Amino acid sequence: MILLKQKQIKCPYCHAHASLRPASLVYGSTPQTRGKFLYVCDRWPACNAYVSAHERTLLPMGTLANGDLRHKRILAHRALKKLQQDCHMEKWEVYIWLQAKLGLDAHQTHIGQFSEYMCEQVISLCQQAPAYTSGRAA
């Protein structure tokens, strides 16, 4: 694998730099972590902020997140996935729906960039959609 130039990232929590590190640093050495990378705060584990890197480009998938924000992002992704399944929609269709609901464009609509507040908005919007509970289109 050819490593591309690392993106310079600062931790939003402690303002230290973050470095591209093997995912096994955080998750341990498993078949799932092999070949995967994270941007990890240089103060880890004292500062628990990190974000996954794209496999091909090694660019960050979003902003560094602490445990609470990572959990909210997981819940937001799950809510969107449930809406997608219940509505029998493609992933891109769910994101267009979300863009319209949030008044954002495609470049702004990435859960990996969202704050806890925005993740809560995503979860709430998905749960309010009629299809979330009935399986019908929103």
Side-chain angles (χ1 to χ4, degrees), residues 67-117:
D68 290 340
L69 180 52
R70 286 192 305 274
H71 182 67
K72 290 278 187 188
R73 288 177 178 175
I74 288 167
L75 295 178
H77 275 113
R78 284 182 186 162
L80 280 176
K81 183 97 173 156
K82 181 171 175 13
L83 186 65
Q84 176 187 346
Q85 291 170 342
D86 289 352
C87 290
H88 307 289
M89 297 167 76
E90 297 294 330
K91 186 176 181 179
W92 65 269
E93 292 174 302
V94 174
Y95 274 89
I96 288 175
W97 172 85
L98 184 61
Q99 289 168 30
K101 290 289 189 184
L102 294 174
L104 301 174
D105 66 32
H107 297 293
Q108 297 169 311
T109 313
H110 292 281
I111 291 174
Q113 301 285 345
F114 284 179
S115 64
E116 287 187 50
Y117 171 80

Side-chain angles (χ1 to χ4, degrees), residues 5-136:
K5 185 171 190 239
Q6 292 184 31
K7 186 162 174 68
Q8 292 296 316
I9 297 177
K10 275 200 158 193
C11 177
Y13 303 99
C14 72
H15 308 291
H17 287 284
S19 300
L20 188 64
R21 309 288 295 271
S24 59
L25 171 77
V26 172
Y27 298 119
S29 189
T30 68
Q32 291 82 11
T33 62
R34 190 169 294 120
K36 305 262 197 296
F37 288 87
L38 308 170
Y39 281 88
V40 180
C41 177
D42 288 348
R43 291 189 61 243
W44 187 89
C47 179
N48 187 27
Y50 57 87
V51 66
S52 295
H54 285 281
E55 284 189 50
R56 287 186 310 222
T57 64
L58 296 180
L59 291 172
M61 288 189 177
T63 60
L64 259 64
N66 65 12
D68 290 340
L69 180 52
R70 286 192 305 274
H71 182 67
K72 290 278 187 188
R73 288 177 178 175
I74 288 167
L75 295 178
H77 275 113
R78 284 182 186 162
L80 280 176
K81 183 97 173 156
K82 181 171 175 13
L83 186 65
Q84 176 187 346
Q85 291 170 342
D86 289 352
C87 290
H88 307 289
M89 297 167 76
E90 297 294 330
K91 186 176 181 179
W92 65 269
E93 292 174 302
V94 174
Y95 274 89
I96 288 175
W97 172 85
L98 184 61
Q99 289 168 30
K101 290 289 189 184
L102 294 174
L104 301 174
D105 66 32
H107 297 293
Q108 297 169 311
T109 313
H110 292 281
I111 291 174
Q113 301 285 345
F114 284 179
S115 64
E116 287 187 50
Y117 171 80
M118 287 298 289
C119 289
E120 289 166 4
Q121 296 301 303
V122 170
I123 294 163
S124 178
L125 286 168
C126 288
Q127 290 174 343
Q128 290 170 20
Y132 197 81
T133 53
S134 69
R136 289 181 288 112

